[in-house]
Short mmCIF file of all heavy atoms in Angstrom, two decimals:
data_model
loop_
_atom_site.label_atom_id
_atom_site.label_comp_id
_atom_site.label_asym_id
_atom_site.label_seq_id
_atom_site.Cartn_x
_atom_site.Cartn_y
_atom_site.Cartn_z
N ILE A 108 0.85 -1.20 0.00
CA ILE A 108 0.00 0.00 0.00
C ILE A 108 0.88 1.25 0.00
O ILE A 108 0.60 2.24 -0.70
CB ILE A 108 -0.95 -0.01 1.21
CG1 ILE A 108 -2.00 -1.12 1.03
CG2 ILE A 108 -1.64 1.33 1.38
CD1 ILE A 108 -2.89 -1.32 2.24
N SER A 109 1.98 1.20 0.76
CA SER A 109 2.90 2.33 0.78
C SER A 109 3.49 2.58 -0.60
O SER A 109 3.59 3.73 -1.06
CB SER A 109 4.02 2.06 1.79
OG SER A 109 5.05 3.01 1.67
N ALA A 110 3.86 1.49 -1.30
CA ALA A 110 4.44 1.64 -2.64
C ALA A 110 3.41 2.12 -3.65
O ALA A 110 3.72 2.95 -4.52
CB ALA A 110 5.05 0.30 -3.07
N LEU A 111 2.20 1.61 -3.56
CA LEU A 111 1.14 2.01 -4.50
C LEU A 111 0.80 3.49 -4.37
O LEU A 111 0.59 4.20 -5.36
CB LEU A 111 -0.11 1.16 -4.28
CG LEU A 111 -0.14 -0.23 -4.92
CD1 LEU A 111 -1.35 -1.00 -4.41
CD2 LEU A 111 -0.17 -0.13 -6.44
N GLU A 112 0.70 3.96 -3.13
CA GLU A 112 0.25 5.32 -2.86
C GLU A 112 1.40 6.30 -2.64
O GLU A 112 1.15 7.47 -2.35
CB GLU A 112 -0.65 5.32 -1.62
CG GLU A 112 -1.88 4.44 -1.75
CD GLU A 112 -2.81 4.92 -2.86
OE1 GLU A 112 -2.87 6.15 -3.09
OE2 GLU A 112 -3.47 4.08 -3.50
N ASN A 113 2.64 5.78 -2.74
CA ASN A 113 3.81 6.63 -2.51
C ASN A 113 3.75 7.29 -1.13
O ASN A 113 4.12 8.44 -0.95
CB ASN A 113 3.95 7.69 -3.60
CG ASN A 113 5.36 8.27 -3.65
OD1 ASN A 113 6.33 7.57 -3.36
ND2 ASN A 113 5.46 9.54 -4.01
N ALA A 114 3.25 6.52 -0.15
CA ALA A 114 3.11 7.02 1.22
C ALA A 114 4.24 6.44 2.07
O ALA A 114 4.38 5.22 2.16
CB ALA A 114 1.76 6.61 1.80
N PRO A 115 5.06 7.26 2.69
CA PRO A 115 6.19 6.76 3.47
C PRO A 115 5.74 6.04 4.75
O PRO A 115 4.69 6.35 5.33
CB PRO A 115 6.99 8.01 3.80
CG PRO A 115 6.01 9.13 3.69
CD PRO A 115 5.02 8.74 2.66
N VAL A 116 6.55 5.08 5.18
CA VAL A 116 6.29 4.29 6.39
C VAL A 116 7.32 4.66 7.45
O VAL A 116 8.51 4.80 7.16
CB VAL A 116 6.37 2.78 6.09
CG1 VAL A 116 6.17 1.96 7.37
CG2 VAL A 116 5.34 2.39 5.05
N LYS A 117 6.86 4.83 8.68
CA LYS A 117 7.76 5.13 9.79
C LYS A 117 8.70 3.94 10.01
O LYS A 117 8.26 2.80 10.16
CB LYS A 117 6.97 5.39 11.06
CG LYS A 117 6.00 6.56 10.98
CD LYS A 117 5.17 6.64 12.25
CE LYS A 117 4.10 7.74 12.15
NZ LYS A 117 3.21 7.74 13.34
N GLN A 118 9.98 4.22 10.08
CA GLN A 118 10.96 3.15 10.24
C GLN A 118 11.28 2.85 11.70
O GLN A 118 12.07 1.94 11.99
CB GLN A 118 12.24 3.50 9.48
CG GLN A 118 12.06 3.59 7.98
CD GLN A 118 11.51 2.30 7.38
OE1 GLN A 118 12.14 1.25 7.47
NE2 GLN A 118 10.31 2.37 6.79
N ASN A 119 10.66 3.59 12.62
CA ASN A 119 10.84 3.26 14.04
C ASN A 119 9.75 2.32 14.53
O ASN A 119 9.59 2.11 15.73
CB ASN A 119 10.88 4.53 14.88
CG ASN A 119 9.55 5.28 14.87
OD1 ASN A 119 8.71 5.07 13.98
ND2 ASN A 119 9.34 6.14 15.86
N VAL A 120 8.96 1.78 13.58
CA VAL A 120 7.86 0.88 13.91
C VAL A 120 8.15 -0.50 13.30
O VAL A 120 8.56 -0.59 12.14
CB VAL A 120 6.51 1.41 13.36
CG1 VAL A 120 5.39 0.41 13.63
CG2 VAL A 120 6.20 2.76 13.96
N ALA A 121 7.96 -1.56 14.08
CA ALA A 121 8.03 -2.94 13.59
C ALA A 121 6.66 -3.58 13.81
O ALA A 121 5.85 -3.08 14.60
CB ALA A 121 9.10 -3.72 14.33
N MET A 122 6.39 -4.65 13.08
CA MET A 122 5.04 -5.24 13.18
C MET A 122 5.07 -6.73 12.90
O MET A 122 5.97 -7.27 12.25
CB MET A 122 4.09 -4.54 12.21
CG MET A 122 4.47 -4.66 10.74
SD MET A 122 3.34 -3.74 9.65
CE MET A 122 3.75 -2.05 10.06
N THR A 123 4.05 -7.41 13.39
CA THR A 123 3.80 -8.82 13.10
C THR A 123 2.31 -9.09 13.19
O THR A 123 1.61 -8.47 14.00
CB THR A 123 4.56 -9.75 14.07
OG1 THR A 123 4.32 -11.11 13.70
CG2 THR A 123 4.10 -9.56 15.50
N GLY A 124 1.82 -9.96 12.35
CA GLY A 124 0.39 -10.30 12.37
C GLY A 124 -0.05 -10.95 11.08
O GLY A 124 0.47 -10.63 10.01
N SER A 125 -0.98 -11.87 11.19
CA SER A 125 -1.58 -12.48 10.02
C SER A 125 -2.73 -11.59 9.54
O SER A 125 -3.15 -10.67 10.25
CB SER A 125 -2.07 -13.88 10.35
OG SER A 125 -2.63 -14.51 9.23
N LEU A 126 -3.25 -11.88 8.35
CA LEU A 126 -4.27 -11.01 7.76
C LEU A 126 -5.28 -11.85 7.00
O LEU A 126 -4.92 -12.74 6.23
CB LEU A 126 -3.60 -10.01 6.82
CG LEU A 126 -4.42 -8.80 6.36
CD1 LEU A 126 -4.79 -7.93 7.54
CD2 LEU A 126 -3.62 -7.99 5.34
N SER A 127 -6.55 -11.57 7.24
CA SER A 127 -7.60 -12.23 6.47
C SER A 127 -7.86 -11.46 5.18
O SER A 127 -7.43 -10.31 5.02
CB SER A 127 -8.89 -12.32 7.30
OG SER A 127 -9.53 -11.05 7.35
N VAL A 128 -8.58 -12.08 4.26
CA VAL A 128 -8.89 -11.39 3.00
C VAL A 128 -9.85 -10.23 3.22
O VAL A 128 -10.03 -9.40 2.32
CB VAL A 128 -9.49 -12.39 1.98
CG1 VAL A 128 -8.46 -13.41 1.57
CG2 VAL A 128 -10.75 -13.06 2.54
N ARG A 129 -10.47 -10.15 4.38
CA ARG A 129 -11.34 -9.01 4.70
C ARG A 129 -10.60 -7.89 5.41
O ARG A 129 -11.17 -6.84 5.69
CB ARG A 129 -12.50 -9.49 5.61
CG ARG A 129 -13.42 -10.51 4.97
CD ARG A 129 -14.32 -9.90 3.92
NE ARG A 129 -15.13 -8.82 4.43
CZ ARG A 129 -16.29 -8.99 5.07
NH1 ARG A 129 -16.76 -10.21 5.27
NH2 ARG A 129 -16.99 -7.96 5.49
N GLY A 130 -9.31 -8.13 5.75
CA GLY A 130 -8.52 -7.08 6.40
C GLY A 130 -8.39 -7.22 7.90
O GLY A 130 -7.81 -6.36 8.55
N ASP A 131 -8.94 -8.30 8.49
CA ASP A 131 -8.79 -8.52 9.92
C ASP A 131 -7.38 -8.99 10.25
O ASP A 131 -6.80 -9.81 9.54
CB ASP A 131 -9.78 -9.59 10.40
CG ASP A 131 -11.23 -9.19 10.15
OD1 ASP A 131 -11.56 -8.04 10.45
OD2 ASP A 131 -12.01 -10.04 9.66
N VAL A 132 -6.84 -8.47 11.34
CA VAL A 132 -5.52 -8.89 11.82
C VAL A 132 -5.70 -10.08 12.75
O VAL A 132 -6.37 -9.97 13.78
CB VAL A 132 -4.79 -7.75 12.53
CG1 VAL A 132 -3.42 -8.22 13.04
CG2 VAL A 132 -4.59 -6.57 11.58
N LEU A 133 -5.09 -11.20 12.39
CA LEU A 133 -5.28 -12.45 13.12
C LEU A 133 -4.06 -12.76 13.98
O LEU A 133 -2.95 -12.32 13.69
CB LEU A 133 -5.54 -13.59 12.14
CG LEU A 133 -6.69 -13.37 11.14
CD1 LEU A 133 -6.79 -14.55 10.19
CD2 LEU A 133 -8.00 -13.19 11.89
N PRO A 134 -4.24 -13.56 15.03
CA PRO A 134 -3.13 -13.84 15.97
C PRO A 134 -2.05 -14.71 15.34
O PRO A 134 -2.29 -15.48 14.41
CB PRO A 134 -3.81 -14.57 17.13
CG PRO A 134 -5.05 -15.17 16.54
CD PRO A 134 -5.51 -14.20 15.48
N VAL A 135 -0.84 -14.59 15.89
CA VAL A 135 0.31 -15.37 15.45
C VAL A 135 1.04 -15.90 16.68
O VAL A 135 0.72 -15.54 17.82
CB VAL A 135 1.28 -14.52 14.60
CG1 VAL A 135 0.63 -14.10 13.30
CG2 VAL A 135 1.76 -13.29 15.38
N GLY A 136 2.02 -16.75 16.46
CA GLY A 136 2.81 -17.28 17.57
C GLY A 136 4.12 -16.51 17.75
O GLY A 136 4.52 -15.72 16.91
#
């Protein structure tokens, strides 16, 4: 999404999470 919209992403942020096709963030181990 950042590349498509040319929107920069904060580099002081890290993330983890699964994703459903509806956009829900699902749990991970």
Side-chain angles (χ1 to χ4, degrees):
I108 291 174
S109 169
L111 278 171
E112 301 297 328
N113 199 32
V116 177
K117 300 174 185 175
Q118 296 303 298
N119 66 341
V120 176
M122 62 183 69
T123 182
S125 181
L126 195 63
S127 75
V128 294
R129 298 287 302 277
D131 299 315
V132 179
L133 306 177
V135 295

